[in-house]
Amino acid sequence: MIAVQLAALLVVAVGAWATVMARDPVRQAIVVSLYGLALGLLFFAFQAPDVALSNIVIGAVALPTMLMLAIAKTKR
Amino acid sequence: MDEQPPRRPGELSFAARRRLFLVGAAGLGALLLWGLFGLPDYRDVVPLYGQVINHSAVEERSSTAVVSAVNFDYRGFDTLGEEFILFAAVLVLALLLRRLSEERRDRHEWKARHEHTTSAAVRLTCAALVGPTVLLAVYITAHGHLTPGGGFQGGVIAATALLLVYLGSDYPTMQRLRPLPLVETAKAAGALAFVLLGLAGLIFAGAFLENFLPLGTPGDLVAAGTIPLLSVAVGLEVAGGFVLLLSEFLDQLLVIRRKQEADS
């Protein structure tokens, strides 16, 4: 279990770093989606499946979708 | 690096701002480390409240999902507040993204935008995923008192099904599947149902949001009194809210145009 938790923490750290390093907003929206998924795995590894479920949908789908729609609208 | 913008009189230089940031960050970092080293090991110590809830939730509320028992019963009043935060947020979003008087709805442009961008593989995958997604949303909502999940999670999953419909088909198909008056009604009805269930508790059991229904057997689909009903109410509100939110964003992108922009 500790190994899974450590792996999840590592993936989240890398995901957060990648999100900050992606400078193009469209790429950033994709990376933040993966980051949301990683956070979901982290919550699951730390025995919070309710929060994990919420975060997988909000962080990996809803937030990136809103970001990308807003980017597409403002880039016209 | 980006070019530095010219400095206005009285403005701090970049180096001074960086020094200020470094001092602040060092202070914050020191406080955080201090706080982190004082934390109890989460595996060893379950706080007293957690111990009490874990011990009594199944017996007192017939809910095998202790988190749901907390969300919809022990701390149901907090969930009411959260639900209305979401309600107000979606309301304000709809207000901000409305069609302004100098804008118009373009009914043709979505065609050009869509037909060239979606491959058959994407369409097929999305079409195949819509059904399972809706089923999962219903399952997660209905089993809120049995397994992890509940109305919020189920509601958001249900709303993503609409996104799949849009990605797998086109704008008019999605529009037909989300009659906005119905969506708005579902959202409002969910919020109203939560309040009414709370008031029913006040009338029949003596306290707002107090359970007033038979508890049944732990593990049954119909059990745990008002918990599954409140979960479904939240599910309706959240699904309606997120469908409305996605619809407003998609409308802004696809059909709302300034009046002077030419039709394409």
Side-chain angles (χ1 to χ4, degrees):
Chain A
M1 199 57 201
I2 301 245
V4 177
Q5 289 175 343
L6 285 179
L9 280 170
L10 189 71
V11 172
V12 166
V14 171
W17 178 78
T19 311
V20 175
M21 294 313 282
R23 304 306 297 189
D24 176 36
V26 177
R27 284 166 193 264
Q28 209 163 24
I30 301 287
V31 179
V32 91
S33 167
L34 294 174
Y35 175 61
L37 201 62
L39 266 183
L41 292 177
L42 179 81
F43 293 142
F44 188 69
F46 281 84
Q47 302 179 25
D50 292 80
V51 191
L53 266 173
S54 305
N55 204 78
I56 284 170
V57 197
I58 297 285
V61 183
L63 174 69
T65 309
M66 281 164 62
L67 285 175
M68 291 192 52
L69 290 172
I71 293 164
K73 172 76 179 177
T74 49
K75 271 198 174 164
R76 301 173 55 86
Chain B
M1 286 304 284
D2 291 338
E3 196 74 9
Q4 297 291 320
R7 210 171 2 139
R8 287 194 301 274
E11 204 176 54
L12 282 176
S13 72
F14 181 73
R17 272 193 262 173
R18 187 162 58 184
R19 274 198 297 278
L20 199 63
F21 165 75
L22 286 176
V23 172
L28 181 70
L31 282 175
L32 264 180
L33 277 179
W34 185 34
L36 283 176
F37 279 116
L39 281 179
D41 190 335
Y42 76 100
R43 276 186 307 272
D44 297 343
V45 187
V46 176
L48 190 63
Y49 184 73
Q51 288 177 22
V52 172
I53 290 277
N54 276 336
H55 187 72
S56 57
V58 178
E59 201 183 324
E60 278 183 9
R61 298 292 188 272
S62 278
S63 170
T64 52
V66 176
V67 175
S68 292
V70 172
N71 280 341
F72 296 116
D73 193 314
Y74 293 111
R75 305 296 307 166
F77 194 68
D78 297 12
T79 307
L80 178 76
E82 282 167 24
E83 209 191 6
F84 276 88
I85 290 173
L86 181 71
F87 193 87
V90 174
L91 208 68
V92 170
L93 184 111
L95 189 67
L96 287 174
L97 297 185
R98 73 195 186 280
R99 188 177 58 81
L100 300 171
S101 56
E102 68 265 24
E103 288 171 340
R104 62 186 170 75
R105 295 183 78 86
D106 183 332
R107 302 193 183 283
H108 310 291
E109 200 182 345
W110 56 264
K111 277 186 190 159
R113 285 181 71 88
H114 208 74
E115 277 164 10
H116 300 292
T117 50
T118 312
S119 68
V122 171
R123 280 167 187 263
L124 187 69
T125 310
C126 289
L129 282 175
V130 171
T133 305
V134 173
L135 186 67
L136 181 70
V138 172
Y139 175 90
I140 296 266
T141 307
H143 289 70
H145 58 298
L146 298 172
T147 49
F152 182 80
Q153 290 89 342
V156 191
I157 294 172
T160 60
L162 187 81
L163 198 63
L164 285 172
V165 169
Y166 168 66
L167 290 175
S169 61
D170 49 25
Y171 182 73
T173 311
M174 186 205 71
Q175 235 183 349
R176 276 203 301 279
L177 282 169
R178 56 119 232 245
L180 283 183
L182 196 69
V183 170
E184 284 165 356
T185 312
K187 174 179 181 293
L192 182 70
F194 200 105
V195 176
L196 289 182
L197 282 164
L199 288 176
L202 189 63
I203 294 166
F204 298 116
F208 188 71
L209 279 169
E210 182 83 38
N211 177 48
F212 59 93
L213 293 172
L215 287 171
T217 317
D220 280 1
L221 186 58
V222 179
T226 48
I227 294 174
L229 293 179
L230 290 169
S231 173
V232 170
V234 169
L236 262 183
E237 202 250 325
V238 171
F242 272 88
V243 165
L244 203 62
L245 184 148
L246 285 175
S247 300
E248 294 286 346
F249 269 97
L250 276 173
D251 280 4
Q252 274 289 337
L253 178 63
L254 295 172
V255 293
I256 294 183
R257 295 283 168 269
R258 292 233 173 95
K259 271 184 178 150
Q260 57 265 37
E261 277 178 43
D263 267 320
S264 43

